[in-house]
Amino acid sequence: MKIGYPCINRSVGCTPNTTFRLTSYSPEKMKEKVRNNLDCLEKTIRFNIDNNLLFFRIGSPLIPFASHPVCKFKWQEHFKEHFCRIGELIKNNKMRISMHPDQFTLINSKKSDIFKRSVKELVYHEQVLNLLGLNKTHKIQIHVGGVYGEKEKSIERFIDRYRDLPINVKERLVIENDENSYSLKECLFISNKTKVPVLLDVFHHSLKNNGESIAESFEEVKKTWKKKDGIPMIDYSSQGKGKRRGSHTEKINLNHFKNFMKKVEKFDFDLMFEIKDKEKSALKAIKFLSLND
DNA sequence: TCACGTCAAGCAGAT
DNA sequence: ATCTGCTTGACGTGA
């Protein structure tokens, strides 16, 4: 099992997500920001390796406006070596990477131009993983999308659209249950039709489910990850104390985590801590697990 | 140097 | 009708 956290490390003193306003776009600015982001990504990856944090999510702003028409800069060519170097670090240390395009990426949108932009965005994410030289166990996770007041039709549209995606995207794509639209059960239905692996978000699942236990859910999800996909990726968080229902906790709740681990100890999976203090909670989890071997 | 309004993109649920 | 959350941050103008 690999433990990790998403997008940002709060200890390394830099961010791999610097960006700029569309109005101030220039190829020079683009180059400057991408270089900064890649430098910081490398620093973050090194921190992760040193601390045995072997699962990491690369944030979408790594290449700002990568899928936007304004971007004519050939970042793929220009930073080829840099990607290569970071990729070697990742591979040599057997790290695993995920990416999570943001909420605007909608495969099942009713509007075809939103779908087209979404494909571009997915292609961008796929290019990053490809330039790093990573195999197909490194994934891109998205939610199913909108409901538009007609869930069955929206699911059918997802399935149809999925079938037409570029093969490179398809090989990387996994779908994740969310807390208000598409539950695990619906993701599994879609997976059954398309063979897309399902990434279980245990916090979302606790908020929207069909009565399945965590162990039952793991059992079902496991079947959707084939050998080429690697072991299942799981997103973990818990309810923030005194905060709105569905709001992520600031720091790991070790009691909740202990309880969770007890229920899934017989499964093999990689675990992403979607917790606000990022690497701190992931490190606490690693410490906790090593003490309880 | 800092505060704070705003930032490419969409949807759902809460207020 | 408008705001907030989503992986939530970071930019950049004005003081």
Side-chain angles (χ1 to χ4, degrees):
Chain A
M1 179 169 83
K2 293 170 184 170
I3 300 272
Y5 61 97
C7 308
I8 288 188
N9 180 302
R10 309 244 185 235
S11 320
V12 295
C14 65
T15 166
N17 299 320
T18 56
T19 179
F20 50 88
R21 297 288 182 259
L22 188 53
T23 48
S24 61
Y25 174 88
S26 72
E28 293 73 35
K29 187 158 247 177
M30 179 86 192
K31 207 183 287 180
E32 173 204 326
K33 297 296 180 185
V34 174
R35 173 165 293 120
N36 172 81
N37 289 348
L38 289 174
D39 282 343
C40 184
L41 177 63
E42 186 171 344
K43 198 170 172 185
T44 304
I45 297 284
R46 288 185 192 279
F47 175 100
N48 292 345
I49 291 165
D50 290 343
N51 290 279
N52 203 28
L53 292 161
L54 297 180
F55 190 20
F56 184 66
R57 183 179 303 157
I58 296 178
S60 300
L62 186 72
I63 316 293
F65 301 104
S67 72
H68 192 281
V70 77
C71 176
K72 300 278 195 290
F73 175 59
K74 297 267 183 293
W75 55 274
Q76 299 93 332
E77 285 288 310
H78 196 272
F79 290 103
K80 208 173 188 171
E81 310 276 306
H82 208 154
F83 274 106
C84 226
R85 191 163 75 236
I86 298 173
E88 289 301 310
L89 270 179
I90 293 168
K91 286 183 282 184
N92 293 342
N93 293 281
K94 300 191 165 35
M95 290 187 78
R96 196 174 191 197
I97 300 295
S98 66
M99 295 189 83
H100 193 333
D102 64 32
Q103 59 272 27
F104 311 106
T105 305
L106 291 163
I107 301 270
N108 79 345
S109 175
K110 294 182 92 158
K111 298 178 188 159
S112 70
D113 59 317
I114 292 178
F115 171 63
K116 281 180 197 156
R117 281 204 296 274
S118 299
V119 173
K120 286 198 173 125
E121 186 69 0
L122 289 169
V123 167
Y124 150 59
H125 284 78
E126 185 275 327
Q127 285 179 340
V128 168
L129 295 173
N130 230 20
L131 283 163
L132 291 169
L134 305 177
N135 67 26
K136 312 298 181 186
T137 65
H138 303 265
K139 296 298 189 186
I140 300 169
Q141 63 189 94
I142 57 166
H143 295 290
V144 176
V147 176
Y148 310 98
E150 38 181 26
K151 191 174 264 183
E152 276 188 30
K153 273 190 183 172
S154 299
I155 288 178
E156 285 310 310
R157 196 165 49 247
F158 181 96
I159 292 170
D160 289 344
R161 294 265 180 78
Y162 173 85
R163 295 204 163 114
D164 291 335
L165 290 176
I167 181 71
N168 289 351
V169 168
K170 260 183 174 168
E171 288 171 336
R172 300 265 191 206
L173 201 67
V174 303
I175 54 171
E176 177 186 359
N177 60 302
D178 66 86
E179 79 277 38
N180 40 40
S181 300
Y182 293 95
S183 67
L184 175 64
K185 189 177 170 188
E186 288 150 346
C187 290
L188 289 168
F189 173 82
I190 292 170
S191 175
N192 188 37
K193 302 280 181 191
T194 58
K195 306 307 167 201
V196 64
V198 176
L199 189 155
L200 175 66
D201 182 313
V202 295
F203 184 41
H204 287 161
H205 183 70
S206 72
L207 298 166
K208 183 178 178 68
N209 58 66
N210 295 275
E212 317 90 331
S213 71
I214 283 292
E216 285 165 350
S217 306
F218 267 63
E219 199 64 61
E220 290 305 310
V221 160
K222 190 175 124 183
K223 294 177 195 162
T224 67
W225 293 71
K226 308 298 180 207
K227 185 149 195 214
K228 61 181 169 45
D229 300 311
I231 61 175
M233 290 175 167
I234 304 288
D235 281 357
Y236 171 87
S237 184
S238 61
Q239 175 65 43
K241 270 197 188 121
K243 300 208 286 186
R244 208 193 85 264
R245 175 184 143 97
S247 167
H248 292 209
T249 184
E250 292 288 334
K251 56 185 172 49
I252 185 170
N253 176 336
L254 275 177
N255 263 338
H256 184 279
F257 180 57
K258 194 162 101 182
N259 206 350
F260 162 72
M261 287 304 294
K262 203 178 288 174
K263 291 175 190 159
V264 297
E265 58 191 357
K266 69 169 191 161
F267 298 97
D268 197 12
F269 55 94
D270 291 330
L271 193 58
M272 177 72 59
F273 281 85
E274 291 190 332
I275 292 181
K276 303 233 192 241
D277 71 358
K278 308 287 176 180
E279 79 283 357
K280 285 198 179 62
S281 282
L283 286 169
K284 280 187 195 167
I286 287 184
K287 194 172 170 193
F288 171 82
L289 292 172
S290 66
L291 292 175
N292 290 273
D293 271 345

